[in-house]
Amino acid sequence: CSSDLVLGAGLYTTFRNRPDPSSRSVEANAGAATQIRITPFNVNGAVRAGAISPDGKYVAYLLRDEAKVEMSLWVRHLPTTSDVQIIPPSKDIYVDWLVFSPDSNYVYYRVNSVGQAPALLNKVSVVGGTPKRLIVDFKADSPVTVSPDGQKIAYIRTRSESGELDLVVSNEDGTDERVVVSRKANTQWLNGYPSWSPDGKAIAFYEASYHGGLHNILKTVRLDDGSEQQLGTAKWYRGWY
């Protein structure tokens, strides 16, 4: 059994002279300025998840053998189309939430052992080797986002006692933890996957609310003073997956 993993590459151009934003020609020009190229490549198995590295050279993907009920983690080097098996097939683990480090040298992932409650946060080199265990009891409700210097991580977590949702920042191993954003789940809550800014000064996140109808807005929080800012005025719904 084989399946196609699909990659999308976007090419965006800007206009020096922009006409009136309310005109229809702007919509037509904007549409023409965005070119999307979809490139599938064949893999031997059922792909469960994938992630592309920031430098565009690697793709990490999870394969599941439905017949044997086994899961494995692979990394493909796109320029050479060579594949490296990072985690061998196993029936005893479930892997998800693939995230590349900003330098494209490592893959972060969550792993659950079948029949065991605590999840682990691991990272492994894109060329293989022994995975490094970062957090033993990884209680998170989102994948991690990694700081540009690779020293810190951030993720969303639910407080078991109150149900509040926090955006947590910590060292890679979970130490020196602090909450930078918190929302009460019965009024507003954090949704989707956070993302660290390239300059390391802020983290973007989704804020969901029932006020005015169920919707999400995109916001950022500055890490130096905790100030929040909404990005744009759009409101939309986005689920977890």
Side-chain angles (χ1 to χ4, degrees):
C1 176
S2 64
S3 60
D4 287 335
L5 186 61
V6 179
L7 305 180
L11 174 64
Y12 299 92
T13 59
T14 58
F15 296 98
R16 287 177 182 261
N17 300 313
R18 300 190 181 196
D20 180 0
S22 63
S23 69
R24 298 190 176 212
S25 61
V26 172
E27 297 179 2
N29 289 337
T34 302
Q35 301 174 14
I36 303 298
R37 185 176 70 252
I38 304 298
T39 306
F41 64 80
N42 189 265
V43 294
N44 188 25
V47 178
R48 288 302 187 190
I52 190 166
S53 63
D55 64 8
K57 295 181 179 179
Y58 297 95
V59 170
Y61 58 96
L62 293 170
L63 287 184
R64 180 174 174 83
D65 188 318
E66 301 292 352
K68 297 180 180 179
V69 197
E70 293 179 337
M71 180 171 285
S72 57
L73 173 60
W74 296 75
V75 170
R76 173 168 292 190
H77 184 235
L78 293 176
T80 62
T81 66
S82 59
D83 292 292
V84 175
Q85 186 181 85
I86 304 298
I87 299 178
S90 174
K91 296 181 179 180
D92 300 324
I93 61 171
Y94 183 83
V95 178
D96 60 2
W97 289 353
L98 306 179
V99 176
F100 275 91
S101 60
D103 60 11
S104 301
N105 290 329
Y106 295 93
V107 178
Y108 292 75
Y109 60 93
R110 182 179 67 169
V111 57
N112 287 275
S113 297
V114 176
Q116 298 182 16
L120 307 175
L121 177 65
N122 289 356
K123 81 171 184 180
V124 65
S125 168
V126 294
V127 297
T130 303
K132 181 179 181 180
R133 185 169 297 179
L134 300 176
I135 301 178
V136 175
D137 190 5
F138 184 51
K139 295 178 180 178
D141 294 296
S142 77
V144 299
T145 179
V146 186
S147 62
D149 62 5
Q151 299 299 308
K152 293 186 178 294
I153 58 173
Y155 55 92
I156 296 171
R157 184 179 64 197
T158 303
R159 299 188 201 180
S160 58
E161 67 278 4
S162 65
E164 292 182 67
L165 286 157
D166 297 328
L167 178 57
V168 179
V169 173
S170 72
N171 293 331
E172 188 183 58
D173 62 1
T175 59
D176 193 23
E177 179 185 295
R178 66 187 179 106
V179 175
V180 295
V181 175
S182 184
R183 294 290 188 271
K184 293 183 178 180
N186 60 342
T187 55
Q188 294 176 323
W189 64 97
L190 305 177
N191 196 5
Y193 305 156
S195 181
W196 219 299
S197 66
D199 62 8
K201 296 180 179 180
I203 296 175
F205 63 94
Y206 287 108
E207 178 186 273
S209 174
Y210 282 113
H211 299 303
L214 179 62
H215 66 275
N216 282 285
I217 58 175
L218 184 60
K219 302 184 75 172
T220 60
V221 56
R222 289 189 57 87
L223 298 177
D224 54 358
D225 59 10
S227 61
E228 297 180 18
Q229 179 181 0
Q230 182 174 337
L231 299 181
T233 59
K235 297 181 180 181
W236 68 96
Y237 179 79
R238 183 192 186 282
W240 284 100
Y241 303 103

